[in-house]
Amino acid sequence: METLAQIHERLLTRFPAAKIELVLNPGPAAEHALLLDAATAREIALFLRDDPFLKLDYCSNVTGVDWPDKEVVDPATKAKTLQPGCLEAVYHLYSMALKSATPVILRLRTANRSDQVTLPSLTPVWRAADFQEREIYDLFGIVFAGHPDLRRILMWDGFKDHPMRRDYVSPDDYEWEPTPHGAVLDRAKGHYPSPVAQPLDEPRRSSQSEGGAPPQPAAPTKEAPKP
């Protein structure tokens, strides 16, 4: 199969108006990726799946990444600028038809981490992305437009946050933690007063508490002998 650089060149020729960036990975795995613009991502995904020389018909994995705001220092001027963060969805693709061993990796990024967190769902292209996009929505908060059943898959419906976000704060209230324990339980106690035992209207007293002898157990009954 073609190299990622060759695929990149073909995509630029096939989609001249699309923003497609080759992102190099300096790590030992050297798993480079194609960063796609959200506006043309689904059209490009269909091409990658149906092209006879690629046939990327299997999506093995989809994961989310939270890139927080980052302070960047210019090495020449030492000036500091704030680089806005984003949320990212990463797709690993293979060709079962061509028996490819190296994945083609696609990356899609949201405009920011707050109010522009929508990306096109690629589940209509690769059905295997269904539950994994739901998991990313649940844990990172990316809204996948066009997903056939976008709802939480790990957290309960009433949960109001995304636990894999970098700015996520662990809950300290029973309302958010069905089974609080450890430090969560200790913090939760601060939200509620300690229970106070209420006296009964007519407390039950034994004869021993009134100065009498303790009640004696009843003698066991004897069964009549059988004839």
Side-chain angles (χ1 to χ4, degrees):
M1 195 170 69
E2 300 174 8
T3 65
L4 192 64
Q6 292 172 329
I7 296 174
H8 180 228
E9 291 298 325
R10 278 224 291 145
L11 290 177
L12 291 176
T13 303
R14 177 65 175 78
F15 303 95
K19 297 178 181 178
I20 309 170
E21 180 183 346
L22 181 61
V23 181
L24 301 180
N25 183 349
E31 290 190 337
H32 311 311
L34 296 174
L35 178 60
L36 305 183
D37 181 43
T40 56
R42 190 175 297 168
E43 186 180 3
I44 293 174
L46 286 169
F47 174 82
L48 295 174
R49 185 194 66 183
D50 299 337
D51 182 80
F53 298 101
L54 298 174
K55 294 185 178 180
L56 296 173
D57 50 12
Y58 176 54
C59 178
S60 69
N61 181 53
V62 190
T63 189
V65 184
D66 180 12
W67 297 102
D69 297 345
K70 181 180 180 181
E71 188 178 75
V72 180
V73 180
D74 189 308
T77 63
K78 305 301 181 182
K80 298 180 180 180
T81 57
L82 187 64
Q83 179 179 315
C86 66
L87 302 174
E88 186 176 78
V90 184
Y91 297 77
H92 287 68
L93 310 174
Y94 292 87
S95 173
M96 301 295 286
L98 301 179
K99 297 180 173 57
S100 62
T102 303
V104 173
I105 302 175
L106 304 182
R107 299 167 72 169
L108 281 67
R109 291 176 180 171
T110 62
N112 58 34
R113 300 174 65 252
S114 54
D115 59 345
Q116 300 181 56
V117 293
T118 300
L119 292 176
S121 171
L122 298 187
T123 296
V125 182
W126 294 290
R127 193 69 178 87
D130 182 358
F131 280 15
Q132 298 182 72
E133 285 186 344
R134 282 181 57 188
E135 183 178 353
I136 295 171
Y137 162 71
D138 191 0
L139 302 182
F140 288 91
I142 297 178
V143 178
F144 290 96
H147 190 283
D149 186 25
L150 190 62
R151 54 193 171 93
R152 290 191 181 273
I153 192 171
L154 295 177
M155 310 306 291
W156 57 98
D157 290 339
F159 197 81
K160 297 181 180 180
D161 212 334
H162 306 286
M164 292 296 289
R165 294 281 294 267
R166 295 286 188 91
D167 52 2
Y168 174 71
V169 179
S170 299
D172 60 353
D173 195 337
Y174 284 108
E175 180 181 358
W176 302 107
E177 178 61 60
T179 55
H181 58 277
V184 173
L185 178 59
D186 293 337
R187 292 196 303 270
K189 290 177 180 178
H191 291 270
Y192 304 96
S194 300
V196 178
Q198 299 294 329
L200 299 176
D201 293 336
E202 295 182 359
R204 185 177 180 180
R205 298 180 180 179
S206 66
S207 57
Q208 184 178 14
S209 64
E210 296 174 351
Q216 299 297 322
T221 58
K222 295 183 179 180
E223 295 183 0
K226 296 181 180 180

